Each structure stands twice: as structure tokens, then as C-alpha cells.
């Protein structure tokens, strides 16, 4: 079955540091890939997505590139801010699965001033 | 603001009781799915409704059931509550039954079973 594996957290960075959160996936078809962010006590917000190989999703300074050859979708940001502190989830959906998302376990990011 | 609203936001139930959670999907979205997120974990897919029919189910027992109404709003019902059902329940809506469409989440309903 489908699965998503994220780098283990928590991750603690200083403001303006470079961020990478690794995500790899296993899927039977050609999935779409997503990054969601969850702030404390809140629901999930879509951060970015990519629907086919080599697509790059980007939003709010975050980027991720769909790499079919390495089955990866790593999240990056060049300079993090304290307000980026949250839990980040990598997820996939198969072409035929509608809105069924398979999530990774999440990575807690804390950014210190 | 995703346009997906859930109620109630927080509730406490006793083991063995039944609970109903409600979701109003984003305008025009005909697909609703429900997820369970235990503390410190990623959301787990419960089931999905597309045009009022169940259209996919995750690894959850039959005491988890749902409905989708003609206006595409939805309910999640859980019978015979167990302590392990304590979690954040998330509703998500999207347009169409095909993967890749953007999926919008509500703020969730926090359920505590005591």
C-alpha cells in the first residue's frame, strides 16, 4: 500500500537558517504530493503541492520538487522565521483515490529568535 | 480560511457513548473525507463520500459511520466510544472524485473520551 516517510523530528533552528525536511514515498501509481502545515491547536493548511514528476510547488518561501526517480518530495526554505514554527506533514493522493490522503508522521519545527 | 467548518470544536464523552460530528464543506465541493489524528501523529483516513455515497474507507471498524447530505455537508458518527477514540477529527472537502485536486481541511473537532 501507499506510504509516506518523513525525517524524524523535532527540528530546532535559529531564525534565518536553511530548512530541509525530507520526505520519501511509496505508491502504486502516479500520486500527487502535498505539504501541509499545522499550527498549534489548529487544523491543516495546504502549504504547496505538485501533481507530476519534476513539478516544483512553492508558497511563502517554501519549495518542494517532485522527484520520481528518488520518490522524494523534500521541503526547503532558505531563511526560516519564528512564525514558521509548526508541524509539517508530507502527504500523497493517488489518481483514483479522490481526496484520500496518506500522511507521514509529521515533523515538528521550532524556530528560535 | 478554507471554507470548511466543523462542529463542535471540543467535546468530552464517556466510554460507551455515541458521538456525532458535523462538517460543512466548501461551497461547490462534492467530496468529503474524514480523518482521525491522534496526539503527535499524522492524520489517518477514515472514509470518503462522493455525491452522497461512501467512496473509500480506511482501516476503521464499522462503529465509525458517516453520511453525506444533498448539500454535501457531512456527519461522522462513532458508536460505543473507546478511550483510544480520543483524537482530533478532521473533515476535508474537495471538488470531484479524482486525486490531485486541492483538498481543504476544517479546524477539526477535538474529542476526549473518559
Amino acid at each position: 500500500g501507499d506510504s509516506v516517510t518523513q525525517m524524524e523530528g523535532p527540528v530546532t533552528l535559529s531564525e534565518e537558517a536553511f530548512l530541509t525536511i525530507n520526505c520519501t514515498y511509496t505508491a502504486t501509481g502516479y500520486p500527487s504530493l502535498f505539504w501541509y502545515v499545522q499550527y498549534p491547536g489548529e487544523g491543516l493548511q495546504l502549504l504547496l503541492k505538485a501533481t507530476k514528476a519534476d513539478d516544483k510547488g512553492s508558497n511563502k518561501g517554501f519549495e518542494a520538487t517532485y522527484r520520481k526517480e528518488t520518490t522524494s518530495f523534500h521541503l526547503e526554505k532558505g531563511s526560516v522565521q519564528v512564525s514558521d514554527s509548526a508541524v509539517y506533514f508530507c502527504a500523497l493522493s493517488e489518481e483514483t483515490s479522490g481526496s484520500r490522503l496518506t500522511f507521514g508522521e509529521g515533523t515538528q519545527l521550532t524556530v528560535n529568535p | 480560511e478554507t471554507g470548511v467548518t466543523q462542529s463542535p470544536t471540543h467535546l468530552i464523552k464517556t466510554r460507551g457513548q455515541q458521538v456525532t460530528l458535523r462538517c460543512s464543506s466548501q461551497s461547490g465541493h462534492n467530496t468529503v473525507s474524514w480523518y482521525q489524528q491522534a496526539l503527535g501523529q499524522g492524520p489517518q483516513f477514515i472514509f470518503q463520500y462522493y455525491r452522497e455515497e461512501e467512496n473509500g474507507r480506511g482501516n476503521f471498524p464499522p462503529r465509525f459511520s458517516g453520511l453525506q447530505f444533498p448539500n454535501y455537508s457531512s456527519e461522522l458518527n462513532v458508536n460505543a466510544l473507546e478511550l483510544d477514540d480520543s483524537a482530533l477529527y478532521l473533515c476535508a472537502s474537495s471538488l470531484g472524485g479524482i486525486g490531485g485536486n486541492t483538498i481543504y481541511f476544517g479546524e477539526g473537532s477535538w474529542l476526549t473520551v473518559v
Side-chain angles (χ1 to χ4, degrees):
Chain A
D2 297 344
S3 67
V4 175
T5 302
Q6 290 182 232
M7 66 183 291
E8 292 187 13
V11 174
T12 303
L13 296 173
S14 297
E15 205 163 23
E16 299 184 4
F18 184 84
L19 168 70
T20 300
I21 301 177
N22 290 337
C23 171
T24 57
Y25 68 89
T26 302
T28 53
Y30 300 93
S32 295
L33 302 174
F34 306 82
W35 278 99
Y36 280 86
V37 59
Q38 187 172 39
Y39 297 99
E42 297 186 10
L44 296 170
Q45 298 178 25
L46 178 65
L47 184 58
L48 52 85
K49 73 173 188 178
T51 58
K52 60 182 188 297
D54 299 325
D55 269 2
K56 176 185 283 188
S58 61
N59 186 27
K60 299 180 181 180
F62 290 90
E63 293 183 341
T65 301
Y66 189 142
R67 301 287 189 199
K68 190 170 184 295
E69 64 275 14
T70 55
T71 63
S72 65
F73 193 54
H74 304 321
L75 182 68
E76 296 182 337
K77 187 176 185 183
S79 176
V80 293
Q81 305 300 312
V82 172
S83 57
D84 294 328
S85 299
V87 181
Y88 292 81
F89 292 95
C90 185
L92 68 81
S93 73
E94 292 275 19
E95 285 178 312
T96 56
S97 67
S99 54
R100 176 174 187 158
L101 287 164
T102 300
F103 284 89
E105 289 297 304
T107 301
Q108 171 76 55
L109 170 66
T110 301
V111 180
N112 294 319
Chain B
E1 183 61 47
T2 65
V4 181
T5 57
Q6 293 187 240
S7 63
T9 54
H10 294 81
L11 71 166
I12 300 173
K13 290 287 189 178
T14 302
R15 189 172 52 181
Q17 285 188 315
Q18 179 265 344
V19 68
T20 297
L21 307 178
R22 294 178 176 83
C23 173
S24 190
S25 59
Q26 190 177 104
S27 178
H29 281 188
N30 55 17
T31 302
V32 172
S33 52
W34 287 90
Y35 293 79
Q36 180 195 66
Q37 186 180 14
L39 200 61
Q41 297 184 20
Q44 299 293 315
F45 175 77
I46 302 174
F47 45 56
Q48 170 182 287
Y49 280 81
Y50 174 60
R51 294 183 176 178
E52 303 178 56
E53 297 285 331
E54 187 178 296
N55 182 29
R57 188 178 184 93
N59 190 27
F60 281 82
R63 58 190 187 83
F64 286 79
S65 63
L67 283 173
Q68 187 181 30
F69 300 100
N71 66 355
Y72 301 135
S73 65
S74 178
E75 286 182 355
L76 165 65
N77 298 290
V78 186
N79 294 322
L81 284 166
E82 301 176 0
L83 297 179
D84 284 348
D85 296 333
S86 295
L88 176 66
Y89 289 85
L90 294 163
C91 171
S93 79
S94 64
L95 179 61
I98 300 174
N101 290 327
T102 298
I103 300 161
Y104 297 92
F105 283 83
E107 296 290 306
S109 293
W110 290 93
L111 171 65
T112 302
V113 182
V114 297

